[in-house]
Amino acid sequence: MKRLWVYILITAVFAPWITGAAVTAYADENGKEAVSYDQVASEDEKAAAQEVGVEGMKPVYGADVADGVYQVEVESSSSMFRIAEAELTVKEGEMTAVLTMGGTGYLKLFMGTGEEAAASDASAYIDYMENEEGQHTYRIPVEALDQPIACAAFSKNKEKWYDRSILFRADSLPEEAVLTELPDYEALEKAAKEKRIAAMKAEKEGKAAAEAGEEVPEAEAVQTPVRPALIEMEDGEYAIGTELSGGSGKSTVTSPALLIVKDGLAYARIEWSSSSYDYMVVGGEKYFPVNEEGYSTFEIPILVFNEPMPVIADTTAMSTPHEVEYALTFYTDEIMSKNQTPQAAAQRVVYMVIAIVAVCMVVSFVTKRRRNFVK
């Protein structure tokens, strides 16, 4: 009986350890220990990742950066892993950074992939610290600047590891801090943008060919564009109250926007507060700017009124283009005359100024002629 109680006691003490080990390790077909990745997010659970950096970047290591503490810009491959600010410390060729996150949705980080994190000991994880504002911060090692760094983040809600990639921008440091010559990033970014736009235009041409009944490669096959919403108004141009939500909150669109009615279908001309948007995606269809200069402006279909309509806008404000999710709401009770758009108002001001200048010139000319006549 004593032995039985001893066995029961041993089982109770070691059961949690045995169960935990069973979750993380098992024997594969060859009898070798393998790892279970139940806590690693699957591809279906991940949002589309964006590339960080730009082709032609070269790694900048700690030996090429002067000792000091610097504010540094960090690119992230996921809009769900937003870094509000980062402080880089360089000492004797070693670099570390404190990341201040834009949210509190992650409990720990791991410098590597999610699978590597699941297979690693907990001592390799980097736990968050709270700053005075209650934000989550992490101190991480930085192997190099201008080089993508694998970083897995453990979601508090999903309780799974998500693969991320981050990149510290060397050109965001003070010029005197970088002891090596950097490539011409402006030229690299321009070349990357042109290459990307050319690829997107080729894709759009392939889509047009498919819609025209021409044979196109299977890789270029696309879904049929969604139909714009019907609107009981005569064809023409109007103005409509428009609200933008989503993204970082820094971008805006002009409201009211131009409302275009064609064959009883509704379209909108959206003008952004930035010139850095190179395309929009609405209902799976890509739309390119209708202007070449000034703020990015797009003509897109209105799919629904009086409720948020999901859209994607690709911004080139960073070194590599990033697709950002937004929502546009078009209010039917705020439909008005086209003349009430800000663009129309600005145009009227311009015309008024031109008219005033013209009148002044005429008055000046007549006055001068009268003076000459009197003499």
Side-chain angles (χ1 to χ4, degrees), residues 117-141:
S120 296
D121 186 87
S123 61
Y125 303 154
I126 302 172
D127 295 320
Y128 73 88
M129 299 287 290
E130 281 193 5
N131 61 15
E132 294 178 355
E133 288 75 33
Q135 296 170 298
H136 285 192
T137 67
Y138 297 90
R139 180 177 292 277
I140 68 170

Side-chain angles (χ1 to χ4, degrees), residues 260-293:
I260 304 169
V261 180
K262 300 178 184 177
D263 299 325
L265 303 178
Y267 301 83
R269 182 162 293 183
I270 300 299
E271 181 184 71
W272 291 85
S273 58
S274 166
S275 59
S276 299
Y277 293 98
D278 59 356
Y279 69 83
M280 289 182 66
V281 179
V282 182
E285 177 82 5
K286 281 183 181 177
Y287 296 86
F288 296 95
V290 295
N291 62 327
E292 295 183 357
E293 297 183 357

Side-chain angles (χ1 to χ4, degrees), residues 197-212:
I197 291 176
M200 289 187 296
K201 286 184 176 179
E203 179 185 349
K204 193 173 183 71
E205 289 172 1
K207 183 181 299 185
E211 293 172 356

Side-chain angles (χ1 to χ4, degrees), residues 3 19 101 121 144 157 179 213 237-238 274 277 334:
R3 286 186 178 181
T19 304
M101 306 305 297
D121 186 87
N157 293 331
L179 308 178
E237 295 184 346
Y238 307 86
S274 166
Y277 293 98
E334 295 182 22

